[in-house]
């Protein structure tokens, strides 16, 4: 057998609707960048109807045993000591220097079992931190498929398929349905949305039931491009794009702390010892080298510079992911890591990390035809887009 | 009679690199090569008509990128074909593979151990950081830490600067790796036998130590210092074999004006008033130069080419005790078609384009050493195999193949009669045939270079591929002798530029280049 990239449990269905062979890698899997020729409709569905995303490439670990709760509370920066069964939380976790190893969600499936999701492999990191804890770690990454159903109609679709109880699910809550499935009110779109956790063997069945019920709600399968636009609008960071995880950084300077990534709200210094606490307390007291900001790039100026020389305005519909220097009048103050046109807000958005106190009026260089030009980039509060229905 | 600025004894790759740099700086240089072809152990020979054998070195990784760029070796014909993968066939019919792709390798390791698949990433990053930190040391002359001479102090400060930039934990890991056995070091990381074994092999290639001998950790690190086009830890096959690489350097050296004379074995270095001034060949011809640079190994240089009465006793003592016992053999096979390996699943034949390692477990490797250390050979040898004709079709007639096998252990210290040679060649082929049942039926011609052959044919003492053991007591300022580790020798105007000097063996070009830089500086001083 030839070794190929893995395919997710939903592949029999996703492969069938792929129109332009736009596959990409994610966590060792082949996943869709977009199913249709362009991702426009897929994105719009996420904001106006509902989009169905295969996010099975996430790494998933089940942590159980008498000390599971204490272990996780020591591992992550956020205080999850009060988490009850059915609860879920987003949090980063750090190394002893306070540099972010990964970020993801933790949910409490029942009294003694938790599930952690991660963007990168974390089995080794979890194991390294188990000393003194009576726990059991199970890598269930390949046993579980995950579908994200995101958008204003996602609740209605799920209620039709799994019953009305879904409607009661609070933001960051998780419930068990049909014995071996869970539905959580989570996602990466910054919108009303849910994630369905499915044993691999039932993946195709669940996909079919959701897409069938979704027909009445304009459900649209969507790929990573659409999700990437949405997550930038939502101001949500991404590992390997907006930060280098601590264990992949060649030098400590390459890695980031939660404070630098706008995740200071998830660092609870008042809870008992957790990995990286000392370093983070020091940073909190002394200030951070960088801070995450949202940037709104002066798109009108960009448009007029193009129009001046007879060129159409290049809209960055597919988000870019690269390090782009950000300046103020004194010089470079930081860097942007990703950017996108926001079809919902009609703005050109970017996420950046800049030195605190660099001001609100920053600048970014963008190519106009074949020449580099400087454009204004105003600091904006994150998230850029935050509809009441997300929590409502 | 023409008087040269420098005469280089030995046209191995470091001698050629050295000559090319001197000629590039405008010096009149003569290279004297014993054999009818330059390259030393860096040669490709058509031992059997139509089939090109790699009777010495076979891959390139540690070659300093500066040598390629500064000598414009690409212009002179050097083409490097990176190896994509490593395959370890296992006796139970399974295999372990290191694929050219991260996701594929991770998935492959997951088959064997979930834990190792993740530890592997951290291990790779750690080794990358250590090799990044160590790499600059390859291009420095090794300072004597007991010396207060300004150049030694300056160089020590540079090394301190390199090491000072390391993260503390990395520095501690580096110290442990250099002093531990590679097997002990890997035990701290992994649980999968073939994975540990394959990582162990870097610690024993070319060295007469077992995977559990302290110091093999350093040898492994040495093999991690290479890069191809900036891709670290990558190995490449030079199109046409390593001989084509030697020809590329020779072509560059000639283009800069160096003269290269083949069939010119040096009998002795001529010394006048305590200074080297020329050489006399075995046929009686004499050549004169301001500087004589020996690319021969330290023992051959000082115990054969320089009259003993010209050398201080303590230096001779050091050189006589310089460890050169070697365990390495080269076997080449001409094959009627591609052999199949029972461990390679159908559809995965691309795995044969990389290294094929007969190294199923750590104990297998240690046992191979145990068999040989008292002066014998491994009953089940470790092999690093390559099928160059899959990468470069010019190596064999169309549809046919050549296979190169680097084999350990077989002691240089045993009495290598023709019968023993044939017997060990059978051991090698029998062992390989356990993994490739149709191998024997495809062999058209077989050829072995024992350590004794490497000594007799290529001219390296004991056939040691690194011109002496890469053990801690023979490194840096101790290489080859504590007071003479900066390419100079106790004989005025006699220099060294071969693998017996820092940073040691492998196709690096580093001793040749470093020695040239020092010699040119010395000249201008």
């Amino acid at each position: 057998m030839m070794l190929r990239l893995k395919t997710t449990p939903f592949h029999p269905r996703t492969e069938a609707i792929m129109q332009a062979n736009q596959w990409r890698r994610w966590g060792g899997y082949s996943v869709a960048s977009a199913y249709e020729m362009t991702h426009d409709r897929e994105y719009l569905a996420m904001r106006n109807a509902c989009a169905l995303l295969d996010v099975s490439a996430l790494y998933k670990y089940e942590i159980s045993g008498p000390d599971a709760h204490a272990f996780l509370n020591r591992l992550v920066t956020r205080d999850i000591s009060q988490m009850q069964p059915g609860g879920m939380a987003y949090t980063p976790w750090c190394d002893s220097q306070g540099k972010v190893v990964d970020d993801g969600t933790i949910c409490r499936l029942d009294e003694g079992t938790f599930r952690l999701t991660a963007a990168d492999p974390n089995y080794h990191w979890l194991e390294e931190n188990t000393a003194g804890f009576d726990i059991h770690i199970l890598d269930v990454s390949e046993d579980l498929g995950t579908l994200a159903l995101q958008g204003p109609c996602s609740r209605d679709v799920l209620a039709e398929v799994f019953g009305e109880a879904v409607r009661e699910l609070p933001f960051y809550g998780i419930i068990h349905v049909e014995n071996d499935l869970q539905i959580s009110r989570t996602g990466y779109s910054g919108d009303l949305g849910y994630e369905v956790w499915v044993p691999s063997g039932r993946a195709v069945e669940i996909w079919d039931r959701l897409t069938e019920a979704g027909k009445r709600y304009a459900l649209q399968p969507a790929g990573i491009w659409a999700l990437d636009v949405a997550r930038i609008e939502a101001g949500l960071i991404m590992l390997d794009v907006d930060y280098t995880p601590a264990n992949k950084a060649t030098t400590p300077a390459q890695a980031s702390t939660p404070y630098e990534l706008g995740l200071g709200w998830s660092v609870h210094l008042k809870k008992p010892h957790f990995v990286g606490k000392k370093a983070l307390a020091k940073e909190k007291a002394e200030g951070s080298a960088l801070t995450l900001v949202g940037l709104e790039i002066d798109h009108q100026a960009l448009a007029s510079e193009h129009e001046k020389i007879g060129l159409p305005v290049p809209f960055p519909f597919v988000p870019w992911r690269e390090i782009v220097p950000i300046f103020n009048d004194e010089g470079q103050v930081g860097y942007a890591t990703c950017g996108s046109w926001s079809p919902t807000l009609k703005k050109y958005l970017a996420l950046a990390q800049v030195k605190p106190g660099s001001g609100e009026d920053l600048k970014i260089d963008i190519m106009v035809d074949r020449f580099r030009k400087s454009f204004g980039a105003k600091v904006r509060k994150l998230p850029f887009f935050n509809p009441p229905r997300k929590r409502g | 009679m023409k008087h040269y600025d420098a005469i280089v004894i030995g046209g191995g790759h470091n001698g050629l690199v050295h000559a090319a740099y001197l000629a590039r700086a405008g010096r009149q240089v003569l290279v004297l090569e014993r054999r009818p072809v330059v390259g030393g152990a860096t040669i490709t020979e058509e031992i059997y008509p139509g089939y090109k054998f790699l009777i010495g070195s076979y891959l390139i990784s540690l070659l300093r990128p500066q040598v390629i760029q500064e000598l414009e070796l690409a212009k002179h014909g050097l083409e490097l074909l990176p190896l994509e993968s490593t395959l370890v066939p296992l006796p139970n019919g399974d295999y372990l593979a290191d694929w050219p792709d991260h996701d594929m390798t991770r998935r492959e390791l997951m088959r064997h151990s979930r834990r190792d698949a993740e530890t592997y990433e951290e291990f790779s990053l750690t080794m990358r950081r250590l090799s990044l930190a160590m790499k600059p040391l390859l291009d420095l002359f090794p300072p004597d830490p007991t010396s207060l001479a300004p150049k030694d102090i300056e160089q020590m400060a540079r090394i301190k600067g390199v090491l000072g930039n390391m993260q503390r934990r990395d520095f501690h890991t580096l110290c442990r790796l250099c002093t531990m056995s590679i097997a002990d070091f890997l035990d701290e990381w992994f649980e999968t036998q073939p994975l540990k074994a394959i990582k162990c092999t870097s610690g024993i290639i070319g060295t007469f130590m077992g995977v559990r001998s302290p110091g093999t950790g350093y040898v492994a690190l040495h093999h991690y210092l290479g890069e191809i086009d900036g891709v670290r830890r990558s190995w490449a096959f030079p199109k046409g074999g390593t001989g084509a690489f030697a020809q590329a350097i020779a072509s560059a050296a000639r283009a800069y004006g160096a003269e290269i004379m083949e069939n010119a074995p040096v009998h002795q270095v001529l010394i006048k008033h305590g200074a080297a001034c020329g050489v006399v060949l075995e046929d009686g011809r004499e050549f004169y130069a301001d500087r004589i640079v020996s690319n021969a190994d330290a023992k051959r240089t000082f115990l054969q080419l320089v009259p003993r009465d010209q050398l201080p006793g303590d230096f001779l003592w050091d050189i006589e005790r310089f460890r050169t016992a070697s365990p390495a053999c080269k076997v080449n096979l001409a094959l009627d078609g591609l052999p199949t390996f029972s461990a390679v699943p159908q559809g995965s034949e691309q795995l044969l384009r990389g290294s094929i390692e007969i190294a199923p477990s750590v104990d297998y490797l240690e046992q191979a050493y145990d068999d040989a250390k008292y002066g014998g050979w491994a009953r089940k040898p470790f092999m690093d195999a390559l099928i160059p004709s899959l990468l470069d079709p010019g190596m064999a007639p169309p549809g046919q193949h050549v296979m190169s096998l680097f084999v350990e252990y077989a002691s240089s210290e045993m009495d290598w009669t023709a019968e023993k040679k044939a017997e060990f060649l059978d051991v090698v082929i029998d062992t390989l045939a356990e993994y490739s049942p149709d191998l024997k039926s495809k062999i058209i011609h077989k050829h072995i270079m024992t350590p004794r052959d490497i000594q007799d044919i290529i001219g390296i003492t004991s056939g040691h591929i690194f011109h002496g053991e890469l053990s801690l007591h023979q490194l840096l300022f101790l290489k080859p002798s504590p007071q003479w580790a900066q390419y100079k020798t106790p004989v005025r105007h006699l220099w060294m530029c071969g693998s017996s000097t820092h940073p040691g063996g492998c196709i690096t070009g580093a001793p040749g280049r470093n020695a040239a830089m020092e010699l040119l500086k010395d000249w201008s001083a």
Side-chain angles (χ1 to χ4, degrees):
Chain A
M1 172 213 73
M2 168 128 174
L3 203 50
R4 293 170 190 271
L5 278 184
K6 290 186 287 192
T7 53
T8 78
F10 302 101
H11 194 70
R13 291 296 179 264
T14 55
E15 189 183 28
I17 57 167
M18 175 59 84
Q19 294 177 354
N21 216 13
Q22 298 180 116
W23 299 100
R24 65 193 288 139
R25 284 189 192 206
W26 179 18
Y29 288 86
S30 274
V31 299
S33 291
Y35 296 105
E36 301 199 338
M37 300 294 173
T38 64
H39 64 291
D40 308 5
R41 270 173 31 84
E42 300 178 6
Y43 164 79
L44 290 171
M46 207 178 305
R47 292 289 182 235
N48 295 290
C50 60
L52 186 64
L53 300 119
D54 178 2
V55 293
S56 306
L58 283 174
Y59 291 87
K60 298 165 281 269
Y61 304 94
E62 259 178 36
I63 294 136
S64 55
D67 296 337
H69 201 169
F71 163 76
L72 285 168
N73 204 35
R74 188 185 185 278
L75 183 81
V76 304
T77 60
R78 195 166 171 184
D79 186 356
I80 56 162
S81 59
Q82 302 307 310
M83 183 184 283
Q84 299 301 315
M88 197 152 170
Y90 165 84
T91 179
W93 51 99
C94 297
D95 69 5
S96 60
Q97 303 307 306
K99 304 285 188 177
V100 178
V101 172
D102 207 328
D103 63 306
T105 58
I106 294 174
C107 68
R108 189 168 186 182
L109 292 170
D110 57 44
E111 195 56 38
T113 312
F114 293 78
R115 186 162 61 214
L116 173 82
T117 66
D120 258 357
N122 266 265
Y123 188 79
H124 179 58
W125 179 252
L126 295 174
E127 243 202 356
E128 246 186 28
N129 284 281
T130 55
F133 290 101
D134 183 4
I135 59 160
H136 182 66
I137 302 167
L138 196 60
D139 183 345
V140 293
S141 304
E142 294 190 12
D143 308 330
L144 281 182
T146 310
L147 286 176
L149 191 63
Q150 304 283 305
C153 302
S154 52
R155 181 185 286 148
D156 298 328
V157 174
L158 285 172
E160 277 200 20
V161 176
F162 296 109
E164 291 298 308
V166 173
R167 294 193 187 276
E168 306 307 315
L169 197 55
F171 190 52
Y172 272 92
I174 184 165
I175 52 165
H176 296 266
V177 293
E178 299 183 0
N179 298 322
D180 53 0
L181 308 183
Q182 297 91 37
I183 297 173
S184 60
R185 190 167 160 191
T186 46
Y188 198 47
S189 66
D191 213 308
L192 174 67
Y194 298 82
E195 285 169 315
V196 188
W197 310 84
V198 189
S200 301
R202 292 187 64 186
V204 169
E205 171 215 330
I206 300 301
W207 176 281
D208 288 345
R209 285 164 64 191
L210 287 171
T211 48
E212 182 57 33
K215 279 180 184 164
R216 305 202 299 125
Y217 298 91
L219 179 146
Q220 170 66 44
I224 302 300
W225 283 335
L227 185 62
D228 216 12
V229 178
R231 71 100 188 170
I232 290 172
E233 290 174 336
L236 299 172
I237 56 160
M238 182 178 251
L239 178 142
D240 278 347
V241 175
D242 302 304
Y243 74 96
T244 305
N247 50 11
K248 273 196 210 162
T250 303
T251 62
Q254 282 186 319
S256 300
T257 68
Y259 292 116
E260 293 170 345
L261 297 174
L263 299 177
W265 61 269
S266 68
V267 181
H268 291 146
L269 293 171
K270 285 188 182 139
K271 74 168 178 173
H273 181 75
F274 62 91
V275 185
K277 182 178 179 180
K278 202 171 152 189
L280 290 171
K282 187 164 181 273
E283 184 183 345
K284 171 92 173 162
E286 294 176 0
S288 305
L290 293 169
T291 181
L292 181 86
V293 293
L295 294 179
E296 185 186 325
I297 295 167
D298 187 346
H299 192 255
Q300 286 185 352
L302 184 67
S304 72
E305 283 296 326
H306 279 87
E307 282 158 4
K308 243 193 262 176
I309 52 172
L311 289 176
V313 192
F315 286 85
F317 287 124
V318 174
W320 49 263
R321 298 172 164 192
E322 57 193 308
I323 303 292
V324 180
I326 297 294
F327 303 89
N328 68 9
D329 292 337
E330 282 153 31
Q332 189 179 346
V333 294
Y335 49 87
T337 49
C338 61
S340 176
W341 178 252
S342 165
T344 299
L345 302 172
K346 305 299 177 205
K347 286 175 178 169
Y348 186 174
L349 310 176
L351 296 180
Q353 287 158 61
V354 299
K355 289 181 206 157
S358 299
E360 304 290 303
D361 288 314
L362 303 177
K363 291 192 172 67
I364 186 169
D365 286 353
I366 297 175
M367 298 300 285
V368 176
D369 192 12
R370 282 151 287 178
F371 299 91
R372 202 168 67 170
K373 286 224 158 68
S374 177
F375 292 92
K378 286 202 186 306
V379 172
R380 293 285 185 249
K381 199 168 163 311
L382 290 173
F384 297 110
F385 178 70
N386 194 16
R389 63 177 179 252
K390 180 173 93 177
R391 288 163 178 274
Chain B
M1 178 105 211
K2 183 167 176 182
H3 189 92
Y4 294 90
D5 291 325
I7 289 171
V8 179
I9 303 172
H13 92 273
N14 273 309
L16 295 170
V17 165
H18 187 78
Y21 274 99
L22 296 185
R24 184 169 166 265
R27 299 290 173 169
Q28 297 288 317
V29 188
L30 172 66
V31 180
L32 297 170
E33 169 53 41
R34 217 174 106 255
R35 300 194 65 218
V37 57
V38 292
T42 307
I43 38 168
T44 309
E45 299 214 343
E46 210 169 300
I47 299 282
Y48 187 75
Y51 298 80
K52 292 181 182 165
F53 282 2
L54 304 164
I55 66 166
S57 59
Y58 53 106
L59 287 174
I60 284 181
S61 173
L62 285 117
L63 175 60
R64 311 305 302 125
Q66 303 94 306
V67 173
I68 300 178
Q69 286 144 22
E70 290 162 356
L71 300 183
E72 298 187 276
L73 294 184
K75 196 174 92 182
H76 292 281
L78 175 65
E79 277 185 63
L80 293 175
L81 309 170
L83 291 195
E84 294 186 331
S85 59
T86 305
L87 169 72
V88 191
L90 301 175
N92 65 4
D94 197 0
Y95 66 97
L96 179 96
D98 197 336
W99 293 79
D101 179 85
H102 175 265
D103 284 327
M104 287 164 97
T105 299
R106 178 176 157 78
R107 194 176 165 198
E108 164 68 0
L109 292 175
M110 290 283 270
R111 273 198 323 123
H112 296 268
S113 159
R114 194 170 287 267
R115 176 184 301 178
D116 284 1
E118 294 203 9
T119 315
Y120 188 74
E121 315 220 345
E122 202 182 311
F123 176 81
S124 306
L125 284 164
T126 301
M127 292 303 286
R128 185 175 78 187
R129 291 198 303 271
L130 297 192
S131 62
L132 268 175
M134 286 294 281
K135 194 182 72 161
L137 304 186
L138 291 178
D139 302 319
L140 299 173
F141 76 82
D144 182 349
T146 66
S147 160
L148 294 176
K151 70 177 226 170
D152 285 301
I153 291 174
E154 187 196 326
Q155 202 76 321
M156 284 296 282
R158 286 171 69 180
I159 291 177
K160 174 78 178 86
V162 170
L163 300 179
N165 284 336
M166 292 181 78
Q167 295 173 45
R168 283 173 67 187
R169 185 160 171 80
D170 283 343
F171 182 75
H172 299 151
T173 306
L174 176 68
C175 294
R176 299 179 74 247
L177 171 62
C178 287
T179 49
M180 285 171 84
S181 82
I182 187 63
D184 284 346
F185 184 74
L186 291 165
D187 273 340
E188 298 182 346
W189 291 83
F190 300 117
E191 60 188 16
T192 309
Q193 270 303 323
L195 178 61
K196 279 199 271 198
I198 185 66
K199 296 283 157 203
C200 270
T201 61
S202 304
I204 54 167
I205 294 234
T207 159
F208 209 153
M209 293 188 272
V211 293
R212 295 204 172 89
S213 311
T216 45
Y218 172 79
V219 180
L221 182 62
H222 186 80
H223 284 106
Y224 266 82
L225 300 180
E227 62 189 287
I228 301 293
D229 296 340
V231 179
R232 315 212 51 77
R233 183 71 184 118
S234 169
W235 289 79
F237 175 74
K239 188 172 167 61
T242 49
F245 163 63
Q247 292 302 327
I249 320 172
S251 165
R254 286 198 180 99
Y256 291 123
E259 287 176 45
I260 299 172
M261 198 179 287
E262 284 112 352
N263 296 306
V266 171
H267 172 64
Q268 204 166 59
V269 175
L270 296 173
I271 294 169
K272 203 170 164 185
H273 307 308
C277 62
V279 297
V280 54
L281 301 192
E282 283 177 6
D283 61 13
R285 282 182 290 170
E286 294 185 0
F287 295 93
Y288 295 93
D290 287 348
R291 299 289 186 276
I292 308 301
V293 186
S294 176
N295 183 40
D297 70 86
K299 275 189 164 163
R300 192 177 178 94
T301 301
F302 299 108
L303 305 182
Q304 288 183 38
L305 300 179
V306 176
R308 280 182 85 85
D309 57 8
Q310 299 291 332
L311 295 166
D314 58 347
F315 178 77
L316 274 171
W317 195 95
D318 289 340
I319 298 300
E320 276 168 352
R321 281 152 190 79
F322 194 62
R323 281 196 51 186
T324 53
S326 171
C329 295
K330 257 329 278 289
V331 170
N332 280 273
L333 305 174
L335 298 168
D336 181 17
L338 190 64
T340 55
F341 281 75
S342 14
V344 175
Q346 248 189 339
S348 292
E349 287 79 9
Q350 78 172 95
L351 286 173
L352 297 180
R353 293 203 300 251
S355 301
I356 304 165
E357 307 280 339
I358 305 302
S361 71
V362 174
D363 283 350
Y364 179 99
L365 297 172
E366 185 71 2
Q367 184 65 52
Y369 169 63
D370 284 348
D371 287 351
K373 72 181 175 193
Y374 301 108
W377 62 54
R379 285 165 293 175
K380 296 279 181 195
F382 152 62
M383 288 176 230
D384 178 18
L386 178 71
I387 308 175
S389 43
L390 281 175
L391 302 166
D392 173 5
M395 296 297 287
Q400 309 292 74
H401 289 281
V402 285
M403 193 171 196
S404 147
L405 301 161
F406 175 87
V407 183
E408 284 186 358
Y409 298 78
S411 176
S412 57
E413 307 308 295
M414 58 178 280
D415 183 19
W416 281 101
T417 59
E419 294 74 37
K420 290 221 161 137
K421 246 175 95 162
E423 204 183 319
F424 185 60
L425 183 54
D426 283 342
V427 168
V428 171
I429 291 169
D430 286 343
T431 304
L432 190 60
E434 290 174 23
Y435 301 88
S436 175
D438 61 357
L439 177 78
K440 287 187 186 175
S441 68
K442 294 191 186 295
I443 296 176
I444 302 170
H445 188 80
K446 52 192 177 184
H447 178 262
I448 183 168
M449 294 279 283
T450 65
R452 182 62 49 83
D453 295 321
I454 296 172
Q455 172 173 282
D456 294 347
I457 296 170
I458 296 176
I460 303 173
T461 306
S462 308
H464 199 292
I465 66 165
F466 298 149
H467 286 202
E469 199 64 276
L470 275 183
S471 48
L472 289 179
H473 74 285
Q474 308 195 153
L475 288 181
L476 293 162
F477 61 94
L478 303 173
K479 191 174 194 71
S481 159
Q483 289 180 60
W484 303 101
Q486 297 171 359
Y487 312 106
K488 283 188 182 179
T489 74
V491 178
R492 201 148 48 91
H493 298 170
L494 176 63
W495 288 63
M496 286 176 280
C497 73
S499 291
S500 289
T501 59
H502 177 78
C506 280
I507 296 178
T508 68
R513 179 176 179 273
N514 290 0
M517 298 302 161
E518 288 303 303
L519 178 51
L520 289 170
K521 245 189 274 172
D522 192 72
W523 250 325
S524 60

